[in-house]
Amino acid sequence: MPDAIGFIGSGNIASAVVEGLVTAPRPAPRILLSPRNAARSAALAARFETVVVSEDNQAVLDGSRTLFLSVRPQVAAEALHSLRFHVGHTIISLIPLPLSTLAPLVSPARRVLRVLLLPTCTQRLQAVPYWPETPEVQSLLERLGTPLPLREERELNVLWASTAIISAFYALLETGSEWSTGHGVVPATATDYTATMAHVLARVALSGGTDRFARLAAEAATPGGLNEQVVGMLRAGDACADVREALDAVLTRISPPQRT
């Protein structure tokens, strides 16, 4: 089979994965793109000389050994059911669908795995959780971050659900920045300060034990201090409980139904 890497779907995450693969150290792989999002695919092909737009999705399959699937879960069955997969294909799904749902759609391909990637994979700074453990894709995933094989699919579902706090994270930063602006700080100054504060706090949290978040929160909440006041008010208002409830709802949404 050809050794190109194919992409079915060319949304934000797929585009970021293409960029991450191509710009990583070592020679860039040859990549075949779906023509569905014509403008985005053409832009990627124009930026990177090893990226080519195929005439249709079947041509992507026929020209690739490894395939990234990055379509919306609602249309996955429709997008994949008419395609002819090969037993030698390696399927890397970026779709929040259980393997039990996905595997029949890509049969007779036997090597099928799910990978959790974010658009920030272009910077190769984060872990790349995946399941099941598949040594054959290790070097490929290293082009996107630090591969993190998981023990079971449920772990992947939980981590996938946890990414639903990303928008809330930015919304929290926006709230702090807009609050500063409302009290007279120049908007650019408020935005830059809030962003750099978030950046350095995240860097501090990169190392430590599994209790690091609780420890850092406690260290910041000096008795009688400003942080203790704010976190105390948020907890009294059940803000943390609301986050857990929202994440539980997301996990239920993306997990396979429980058998009775």
Side-chain angles (χ1 to χ4, degrees):
M1 295 180 65
D3 60 357
I5 299 171
F7 280 77
I8 303 298
S10 52
N12 289 338
I13 292 181
S15 297
V17 174
V18 169
E19 180 177 345
L21 292 173
V22 172
T23 60
R26 304 190 301 275
R30 182 168 175 265
I31 291 178
L32 303 181
L33 298 182
S34 163
R36 183 171 179 83
N37 191 329
R40 191 186 295 271
S41 296
L44 288 168
R47 286 180 63 194
F48 305 116
E49 62 180 16
T50 62
V51 176
V52 176
V53 182
S54 296
E55 61 184 43
D56 55 33
N57 283 344
Q58 188 58 54
V60 174
L61 268 65
D62 295 342
S64 306
R65 179 183 296 273
T66 300
L67 289 160
F68 280 86
L69 305 182
S70 185
V71 299
R72 290 182 293 113
Q74 298 91 332
V75 301
E78 178 185 355
L80 302 176
H81 85 278
S82 63
L83 298 177
R84 300 184 303 276
F85 290 86
H86 189 277
V87 67
H89 278 137
T90 294
I91 308 297
I92 299 176
S93 173
L94 309 182
I95 310 170
L97 285 176
L99 209 59
S100 58
T101 299
L102 181 68
L105 299 176
V106 299
S107 179
R110 296 175 182 170
R111 184 179 295 144
V112 186
L113 59 149
R114 297 179 59 199
V115 179
L116 174 54
L117 285 165
L118 301 177
T120 48
C121 66
T122 55
Q123 301 179 48
R124 291 174 281 278
L125 297 176
Q126 64 201 56
V128 180
Y130 73 98
W131 180 88
E133 185 169 0
T134 311
E136 292 84 354
V137 303
Q138 186 83 6
S139 61
L140 180 63
L141 296 183
E142 285 173 353
R143 301 181 74 93
L144 302 167
T146 303
L148 179 62
L150 301 177
R151 299 171 301 173
E152 57 183 0
E153 189 172 20
R154 179 168 173 77
E155 284 188 312
L156 186 65
N157 291 335
V158 171
L159 294 179
W160 213 304
S162 76
T163 67
I165 68 170
I166 292 174
S167 183
F169 168 75
Y170 287 120
L172 180 61
L173 299 186
E174 179 188 31
T175 299
S177 177
E178 288 188 344
W179 179 87
S180 297
T181 299
H183 285 271
V185 178
V186 174
T189 300
T191 302
D192 289 345
Y193 179 77
T194 303
T196 55
M197 177 177 65
H199 175 72
V200 71
L201 292 176
R203 284 184 62 88
V204 169
L206 282 175
S207 60
T210 56
D211 66 339
R212 74 185 77 167
F213 300 130
R215 175 177 53 79
L216 290 170
E219 289 175 357
T222 304
L226 308 181
N227 274 272
E228 183 189 53
Q229 179 178 343
V230 171
V231 76
M233 292 178 67
L234 291 175
R235 287 174 173 161
D238 277 344
C240 295
D242 289 343
V243 173
R244 291 190 183 93
E245 182 180 354
L247 291 177
D248 283 340
V250 172
L251 180 59
T252 298
R253 175 181 171 183
I254 67 174
S255 296
Q258 295 295 315
R259 295 181 178 179
T260 56

